[in-house]
Amino acid sequence: MRDTLCRMMMRFVREEPGNRFPEEGSPYFAEPLIGFAAADDPLFAQYKTVIGPFHLTPAELALEESPPWRPATVICWALPISEETRRSNRSETTYPSRSWALTREHGEAFNAALRRQVVQFLVDAGYRALAPQLHPAWREYRDSPVGIASSWSERHAAYAAGLGTFSLNDALITPAGIAHRLGSVITDAHLEPTARTSTDHRSNCLWYREGSCGACIGRCPVGALSRDGHDKRRCREHVYATVPGAVGEKFGVTSTGCGLCQTKVPCEDRVPAGKLSPLAVRQPGAGGE
């Protein structure tokens, strides 16, 4: 079942027209990375402390269904942003490139379609399934103890599924890098979890691994990144207010993203090598929202 599901997802990303720029027909996203976590993994309960009590566990989301059901697996994926789009964003210093903005709006619409496709595939196979990001129980909280957060973090689910670890800018560094979109679906199908090979929730980031790099700090046009981490409110004001106001109409989108700190950095499309192996870092924790 796991292999069949992965093949379906790979084919959907490869062949679905929604994963294409309308003009040239090139893809928004490359081949996805797919991981699996047990729905009862202790990390999901731990996120209620790390992120906030409002963060829902897979079981709590399934209880919101009618009739309620018991989840078994969380399916997660990362959609790596195409090399052409990443290249176009490297030269930008204030606002994202047009390709990046189109990927944020239309590519994320495709990501939502992939969520629905995975849910339908599982339902057709006789299982229950839901996509947390599309669920009525999904909420955003702007004044949580960790700043702006939501009732389901795709990044934290992906970490639980072994897809990567966190970075200085709070994104997830996967084997395909930090420039991606994430998605997840919860199901009662029992699928073998993906092993988490990192020993620390930040081991893929050079800054946390060995105190080097920090390239993302200089890439932020509004100073939302520093050695102390990520100012989420300042970042959000730029990404969701300033940038759309400046280039949204020009690019024909309402959601533009930014992505400057995810491009022209060593972790753009890989886990950077550095001097120390990611496995050499040993600090406990599950990551901050």
Side-chain angles (χ1 to χ4, degrees):
M1 177 64 180
R2 206 174 92 145
D3 290 345
T4 303
L5 173 64
C6 287
R7 286 195 297 270
M8 181 278 293
M9 294 174 67
M10 296 284 190
R11 185 172 60 252
F12 189 81
V13 172
R14 184 173 59 250
E15 299 177 359
E16 176 62 29
N19 186 30
R20 300 279 171 179
F21 283 95
E23 303 93 343
E24 65 271 25
S26 60
Y28 294 118
F29 304 111
E31 183 175 280
L33 305 178
I34 305 171
F36 302 84
D40 61 356
D41 190 306
L43 274 178
F44 291 110
Q46 187 178 346
Y47 291 159
K48 285 188 168 293
T49 301
V50 172
I51 301 172
F54 54 83
H55 193 273
L56 299 171
T57 66
E60 288 171 331
L61 276 161
L63 284 173
E64 293 284 336
E65 297 279 276
S66 182
W69 46 277
R70 178 174 295 180
T73 306
V74 182
I75 305 160
C76 300
W77 60 86
L79 295 172
I81 294 174
S82 72
E83 200 281 331
E84 292 82 1
T85 295
R86 289 187 281 106
R87 186 191 311 122
S88 74
N89 214 45
R90 289 175 201 151
S91 60
E92 301 296 334
T93 57
T94 305
Y95 305 121
S97 68
R98 178 178 181 272
S99 294
W100 189 277
L102 292 179
T103 298
R104 174 61 182 85
E105 178 146 309
H106 303 306
E108 183 54 31
F110 166 76
N111 194 15
L114 177 58
R115 292 180 177 99
R116 289 188 287 268
Q117 178 72 13
V118 172
V119 168
Q120 192 60 53
F121 175 88
L122 291 162
V123 169
D124 289 345
Y127 299 102
R128 301 294 300 271
L130 64 88
Q133 197 77 16
L134 305 179
H135 198 274
W138 188 91
R139 296 286 187 277
E140 182 179 75
Y141 297 86
R142 300 198 175 191
D143 296 311
S144 80
V146 294
I148 299 165
S150 66
S151 57
W152 179 264
S153 169
E154 299 283 33
R155 288 176 294 118
H156 285 73
Y159 171 74
L163 287 181
T165 75
F166 296 90
S167 62
L168 181 63
N169 62 8
D170 279 342
L172 197 79
I173 302 176
T174 74
I178 199 171
H180 52 65
R181 301 296 300 173
L182 299 171
S184 63
V185 162
I186 297 169
T187 180
D188 62 354
H190 288 267
L191 305 174
E192 183 181 356
T194 306
R196 290 193 293 271
T197 57
S198 61
T199 56
D200 172 65
H201 66 280
R202 302 185 297 194
S203 60
N204 289 351
C205 177
L206 287 177
W207 177 260
Y208 291 123
R209 192 196 314 164
E210 57 193 50
S212 66
C213 192
C216 59
I217 296 174
R219 286 288 284 159
C220 181
V222 293
L225 295 173
S226 70
R227 294 180 178 185
D228 296 324
H230 180 204
D231 184 331
K232 296 171 69 174
R233 189 169 300 279
R234 182 178 294 183
C235 173
R236 185 178 180 84
E237 288 173 357
H238 181 68
V239 173
Y240 290 97
T242 302
V243 180
V247 299
E249 185 175 356
K250 174 183 175 182
F251 293 156
V253 296
T254 56
S255 298
T256 59
C258 174
L260 298 191
C261 68
Q262 297 174 19
T263 51
K264 203 177 180 181
V265 291
C267 58
E268 178 184 311
D269 63 346
R270 68 197 67 191
V271 176
K275 298 176 182 179
L276 300 174
S277 163
L279 299 181
V281 180
R282 295 184 180 277
Q283 298 174 352
E289 168 61 17

